[in-house]
Amino acid sequence: MTIGIGIIGAGIMGADQARTLATHVGGTKLIAVSDPDEARASNVARANEAARHYTDGFALIEDAAVEAVIVASPDDTHARMVLACLRAGKPVLCEKPLAPTVAECLELIAAEQRSGRHMIQVGFMRRFDPAYAAMHETLSSGRLGRPLLMHCAHRNAKAPAFFTPEMSIANAAVHEFDIVRWLMGLEAVAVTAIRSARKGEGTLRDPILLLLELENGVLVDIEIFMNAAYGYDIRAELVCENGTVELGRPAPNLVRHAGEEARTFPSDWRGRFNDAYRLQLQAWIGSLRGKPQNGAGALDGYIATLIAQAALRSLASGAREEIAPDASIAASAA
Ligand code: ISE
């Protein structure tokens, strides 16, 4: 049975999800694309053989042929769109962050619980990246012993045009918050953020350094650098009791030319995480057909935003900020 999909948002990610769906995910049909910019919506719809386009995401959700929805609109619209999907009984894959505020994430968790079904997957695609998955496997094998430290770097060549200073944490660093929890199965208890004193590009003032303290005393340092100029580069090294494991290089080939030896970097995340996006989409569609859901859920989305909010408070206060989940979450986890 073919599943009818609607995509809300025809920007970089909406267009990329539409292309991946059309070229790599069998048994689905892109029905409609929405974007307030009608030309953008219609271009992405046409390029991927979707029958319709809308300028209003809510109208797309109400389209009877749309059975499941991908939300790839701006971050501050996510909660409204996801809530409307839940009301319409349509499962949703929402780009990260689930929502920029913890209050909205809690509202979505409550709405999903009321529906009595698993309805929300959050687009933390790194969980599907072969290199991170191999790192997870190495750690789970136990041969390196327990994790002690992790070093992470998240570098963009140039901050996307829509970036605000808060988004370095709330939109970019949330990937690290999620992957670190997923890899080690440990929760974060506190965070300290330090911003570089240099005047960076625009108002970002990056790079930013974050120190995340996890349960069991594990420490994670995270560099967030949105204008690293040379390319998109994601690094991670896990230091354990008996050894370390480090993410491989994104470009495996080494080119020798004109007296130099070089590997190339992708210009943004689509090149680096191409496989992860495809595997994530295939797994989500599989879960709609009854296979186990193995992506990030609403609770994971909430926790990433909770850590992001604490990191933003730390940036403002200069102090170490504790991370405490809402009492309702702590109670349901107990
Ligand atoms: C962007 O919004 C993403 O989603 C990418 O995954 C992330 O690496 C990048 O830093 C963000 O700007």
Side-chain angles (χ1 to χ4, degrees):
M1 188 199 54
T2 302
I3 304 180
I5 308 289
I7 298 187
I8 299 177
I12 299 178
M13 279 321 298
D16 204 54
Q17 297 275 22
R19 185 190 54 79
T20 308
L21 191 78
T23 49
H24 294 293
V25 189
T28 59
K29 170 91 189 94
L30 183 61
I31 303 289
V33 177
S34 78
D35 197 286
D37 178 336
E38 184 165 9
R40 229 162 56 152
S42 119
N43 285 343
V44 174
R46 208 160 349 101
N48 298 286
E49 294 175 11
R52 296 183 271 292
H53 69 271
Y54 295 97
T55 51
D56 177 13
F58 297 110
L60 177 142
I61 295 168
E62 277 160 27
D63 186 321
V66 169
E67 295 166 279
V69 178
I70 298 173
V71 172
S73 48
D75 298 358
D76 63 353
T77 66
H78 287 183
R80 274 176 282 148
M81 295 299 160
V82 173
L83 208 51
C85 290
L86 297 187
R87 289 200 181 115
K90 302 189 179 179
V92 55
L93 170 61
C94 179
E95 273 300 326
K96 52 81 230 170
L98 175 58
T101 68
V102 288
E104 288 168 305
C105 293
L106 286 171
E107 195 184 346
L108 295 176
I109 291 176
E112 186 185 46
Q113 279 168 353
R114 280 196 300 277
S115 81
R117 287 165 58 196
H118 179 87
M119 296 283 284
I120 303 173
Q121 182 167 324
V122 183
F124 283 122
M125 79 298 177
R126 288 189 190 180
R127 294 179 177 216
F128 296 89
D129 176 60
Y132 274 113
M135 196 177 224
H136 188 271
E137 232 175 83
T138 306
L139 185 63
S140 310
S141 75
R143 72 195 146 108
L144 300 187
R146 280 178 306 172
L148 304 174
L149 265 184
M150 186 161 169
H151 306 292
C152 305
H154 182 142
R155 298 182 189 148
N156 275 246
K158 185 162 172 39
F162 54 82
F163 245 62
T164 62
E166 292 70 34
M167 285 172 86
S168 300
I169 307 272
N171 176 287
V174 284
H175 278 298
E176 267 66 30
F177 303 154
D178 182 68
I179 204 69
V180 156
R181 294 180 57 239
W182 178 77
L183 278 168
M184 294 186 252
L186 297 172
E187 295 299 345
V189 295
V191 60
T192 311
I194 309 170
R195 171 183 281 166
S196 154
R198 110 189 155 105
K199 252 244 149 303
E201 198 128 322
T203 51
L204 281 187
R205 301 230 334 256
D206 60 0
I208 293 171
L209 277 181
L210 303 170
L211 179 67
L212 203 57
E213 297 169 51
L214 307 186
E215 302 169 295
N216 298 357
V218 176
L219 295 176
V220 181
D221 60 77
I222 304 173
E223 169 198 319
I224 302 292
F225 191 5
M226 298 307 298
N227 288 295
Y230 68 91
Y232 184 76
D233 192 9
I234 300 298
R235 298 177 174 212
E237 183 188 15
L238 199 48
V239 181
C240 304
E241 290 167 315
N242 306 322
T244 73
V245 50
E246 188 176 339
L247 276 192
R249 291 280 168 251
N253 296 350
L254 196 57
V255 177
R256 297 186 185 91
H257 174 67
E260 286 185 348
E261 191 174 77
R263 293 183 204 274
T264 48
F265 283 92
S267 55
D268 72 24
W269 56 93
R270 287 167 298 176
R272 166 63 183 85
F273 288 110
N274 205 4
D275 289 339
Y277 283 115
R278 175 178 49 77
L279 293 166
Q280 169 180 258
L281 210 46
Q282 289 169 338
W284 178 59
I285 296 296
S287 75
L288 301 183
R289 297 186 188 288
K291 292 206 181 134
Q293 200 279 347
N294 57 359
L299 182 62
D300 300 304
Y302 160 74
I303 292 181
T305 293
L306 183 73
I307 303 173
Q309 294 296 305
L312 285 168
R313 283 199 306 277
S314 175
L315 264 188
S317 66
R320 172 182 180 273
E321 296 283 342
E322 297 204 346
I323 298 162
D326 187 78
S328 63
I329 300 291
S332 63

